[in-house]
Amino acid sequence: MREDGKIDYVEMPAGDLPATKAFYGQAFGWSFTDYGPEYAAMSEGLDGGFYANAAEAVPKPLVILYATDLEAMEAKVVATGGTIVRPIFSFPGGRRFHFTDPSGNELAVWGE
């Protein structure tokens, strides 16, 4: 069961998505669900995915939290000192926003 404010997903950049999928598949037995040519999701203990589009991907692993009320969580992030770096947007399966914490770490929050 998904819970507000808990780590729910991790995204990682993939400069060469086919090679990245092949590596994790062969090394660890991971399987993937493709969402177009630039994104592959996996569910291997903790759900996550690899993003091939360098213009869209965060250049390091991206921790993604969950929220039942995305707008309320976005307001809470701002009220407590976070900075929105990518406002709420839609993607296949939901919506999310990105923010930085006071130390400059970028995270995201998603909701259905």
Side-chain angles (χ1 to χ4, degrees):
M1 178 176 189
R2 294 190 155 107
E3 297 182 47
D4 271 356
K6 302 296 182 188
I7 295 173
D8 190 67
Y9 202 85
V10 175
E11 284 186 342
M12 294 172 274
D16 183 339
L17 187 56
T20 300
K21 289 170 46 181
F23 168 77
Y24 283 98
Q26 292 169 10
F28 303 107
W30 291 9
S31 59
F32 297 89
T33 301
D34 292 329
Y35 292 95
E38 297 181 340
Y39 195 86
M42 45 86 171
S43 181
E44 303 295 339
L46 174 68
D47 290 348
F50 290 95
Y51 208 128
N53 185 341
E56 296 290 325
V58 176
K60 54 191 164 226
L62 178 67
V63 173
I64 303 174
L65 310 175
Y66 179 78
T68 54
D69 184 336
L70 202 56
E71 286 77 11
M73 189 64 76
E74 182 182 49
K76 191 179 208 179
V77 164
V78 171
T80 57
T83 302
I84 304 302
V85 295
R86 190 163 180 200
I88 294 174
F89 64 94
S90 295
F91 65 92
R95 300 179 311 135
R96 78 182 194 199
F97 68 90
H98 293 212
F99 70 94
T100 54
D101 67 18
S103 294
N105 297 303
E106 185 170 342
L107 288 86
V109 180
W110 88 281
E112 297 170 286

